[in-house]
Amino acid sequence: MTDLTHLTAAELADKIRAREVSSVEVTQAHLDRIAEVDDFVHAFLHVDAEGALAAARAADEAAEPASPLAGVPLALKDVLTTRGIPTTCGSRTLERWIPPYDATVTRKLREAGVPILGKTNMDEFAMGSSTENSAFGTTHNPWDHARIPGGSGGGSAASIAAFEAPLAIGTDTGGSIRQPGAVTGTVGVKPTYGGVSRYGLVAFSSSLDQAGPCARTVLDAALLHEVIAGHDPLDSTSVDAPVPPVVAAAREGLRGDLTGIKVGVVKEFGGDGYQSGVLRSYEAAVEQLRTLGAEVIEVSCPSFTYALPAYYLIAPSECSSNLARFDAMRYGLRVEDDGRHSAEEVMALTREAGFGPEVKRRIMLGTYALSSGYYDAYYGSAQKVRTLITRDFDAAFSKVDVLVSPTTPTTAFKLGERVDDPMSMYLADLCTIPANLAGNAAMSVPSGLSDEDGLPVGLQIMAPALADDRLYRVGAAYEVARDAASGGPILSKVPELARVRASRRTEGVSA
């Protein structure tokens, strides 16, 4: 019998719709896979088997499919609220919080008949590039359990790479969907800012946060994108515009023809600091786009070199404001509430106990940048750089349809390697941050395995705001050509997790 966990979401949807298999069977197969491997992958913080199977039964009993993905299960990043199910954001501060409402993304998934398998691990409050900042333990990369799965959405990406879920939702503030996608060999998409509702997404940086799809194929990501996207009056930053035709674009891309498409190569991304295997994979991907008929043009975006420092002023500033809501007075963790401490003391003690080192670091950076006498010099200047980056994008998109770059400068680094070196950790998002600052759409699609270490590499594709469909056409065309050239999908080469577990036990290494 076909292993249901190794089929794409599109294939599963077709089989469920044709009654060849039930949603209950598909969901149970993925729950079984989670039980088999998640003790050492640790992609999930909470598994809702009862709720997922109930949703699967409802999908099977429906007279008509609620959506093209009805019955196909999904993993949800633990930063989106789920009524009656824990939402921790990877933090002790919210360890026991059960939200009384669903995020709009959660509601849309339920209405689409998508069973939610559970909530995935993440860097605390989405602050990190490795998922090592989770208060509940790190997630391991299914390709090599001694390496990180990316962050902050490492749990979502790892759940797909480990075949625990065919689809997942992540959030991307500076690369938290795309960078995990790159280092796990999966597809990750940051939609146009405002293209997917942020209502119920626990805020890190409100002008940057964006939920989006994680998948094994570009078409799967497009199908999920259409389910979760659209205007939401509950989100004041939601774009009131039609959802770009991403599924149609992906299907067009599957024909493998990019004639007439102009692809811009960003010359500022590459060189020192980039792993040579990553650059070789990237150069091969660009050449593949050319063979598909695309015209490749080098473009310069000089302000991109200032994106990283600008981001690490803007994002911490917004986080220092957003996280002030965790005051121990209304919900979440509360310590030393014994009647002998003032409200201010309880707040301070609770935040000390509840927030991890990286969250505290960013709160302090942001509070300093917003403080009297420094606001214009730091936060104000960073916003000016943001404007320059947006202008660079506009100038580039006047010449080309999409821009490409490596998704991240290196393959997955080893667990613990950068924990004590924040700057080195932040550099993982060097290529992804500009699209967040400008609000543009961007995708990471696997570009193969590095010839240095055999680990996945990602190709980043960027498009103008509300032109998300361009990502899917180019990404799908490249994916088809890549698979044909390499003998199959990237994830067909991921090490078998049971074998990895056995070898680690033999070596006496704890998983």
Side-chain angles (χ1 to χ4, degrees), residues 276-286 447-450 457-458 478:
S276 57
V278 168
L279 290 178
R280 283 192 290 271
S281 177
Y282 168 59
E283 289 161 3
V286 171
S447 61
L449 304 179
S450 168
V457 178
Y478 171 70

Side-chain angles (χ1 to χ4, degrees), residues 289-452:
L289 294 174
R290 185 179 280 112
T291 64
L292 291 169
E295 180 183 354
V296 177
I297 303 167
E298 185 178 78
V299 298
S300 178
C301 298
S303 297
F304 283 16
T305 57
Y306 304 108
L308 191 71
Y311 173 87
Y312 278 101
L313 286 168
I314 293 170
S317 294
E318 294 185 5
C319 113
S320 73
S321 176
N322 279 323
L323 268 61
R325 73 190 65 187
F326 301 110
D327 57 7
M329 296 294 111
R330 292 163 291 179
Y331 54 84
L333 180 70
R334 181 184 297 181
V335 301
E336 301 296 343
D337 186 20
D338 53 10
R340 298 197 303 270
H341 294 81
S342 68
E344 290 78 9
E345 288 172 329
V346 170
M347 286 184 200
L349 291 167
T350 299
R351 287 167 174 162
E352 170 63 26
F355 291 151
E358 182 61 26
V359 171
K360 291 173 183 174
R361 180 184 292 117
R362 297 200 194 193
I363 289 173
M364 288 188 288
L365 282 170
T367 303
Y368 182 80
L370 293 175
S371 61
S372 177
Y374 296 99
Y375 181 96
D376 289 336
Y378 293 107
Y379 183 76
S381 295
Q383 290 289 14
K384 292 175 183 177
V385 170
R386 187 177 194 170
T387 298
L388 294 176
I389 289 169
T390 301
R391 289 175 181 171
D392 277 358
F393 269 119
D394 291 342
F397 287 131
S398 70
K399 302 172 185 175
V400 299
D401 299 298
V402 298
L403 297 172
V404 296
S405 76
T407 303
T408 189
T410 70
T411 55
F413 47 90
K414 291 184 178 180
L415 292 166
E417 189 175 283
R418 303 186 186 182
V419 169
D420 297 322
D421 185 357
M423 190 61 202
S424 178
M425 185 76 78
Y426 297 164
L427 287 170
D429 296 331
L430 187 67
C431 303
T432 52
I433 282 172
N436 294 90
L437 291 172
N440 292 334
M443 165 191 289
S444 179
V445 61
S447 61
L449 304 179
S450 168
D451 56 15
E452 291 178 293

Side-chain angles (χ1 to χ4, degrees), residues 224-246:
L224 182 53
H225 189 140
E226 284 203 347
V227 165
I228 63 174
H231 179 247
D232 180 15
L234 296 176
D235 174 8
S236 62
T237 62
S238 179
V239 176
D240 190 1
V243 177
V246 293

Side-chain angles (χ1 to χ4, degrees), residues 41 43-44 75 120 139 142 154-168 216:
V41 175
F44 285 85
T120 55
T139 298
S156 289
S159 73
I160 296 171
F163 299 98
E164 296 175 285
L167 295 167
R216 292 193 202 117

Side-chain angles (χ1 to χ4, degrees), residues 92-152:
R92 295 289 180 196
T93 296
L94 291 176
E95 185 172 6
R96 297 179 180 85
W97 185 50
I98 308 292
Y101 69 102
D102 278 337
T104 295
V105 167
T106 307
R107 175 180 59 78
K108 287 194 169 192
L109 291 169
R110 296 193 199 281
E111 291 173 352
V114 174
I116 298 173
L117 295 165
K119 309 296 287 294
T120 55
N121 199 13
M122 57 182 284
D123 285 300
E124 185 179 8
F125 288 107
M127 299 180 199
S129 301
S130 66
T131 316
E132 291 172 286
N133 294 326
S134 171
F136 308 111
T138 189
T139 298
H140 299 260
N141 192 321
W143 289 84
D144 180 347
H145 289 194
R147 295 178 185 266
I148 59 99
S152 63

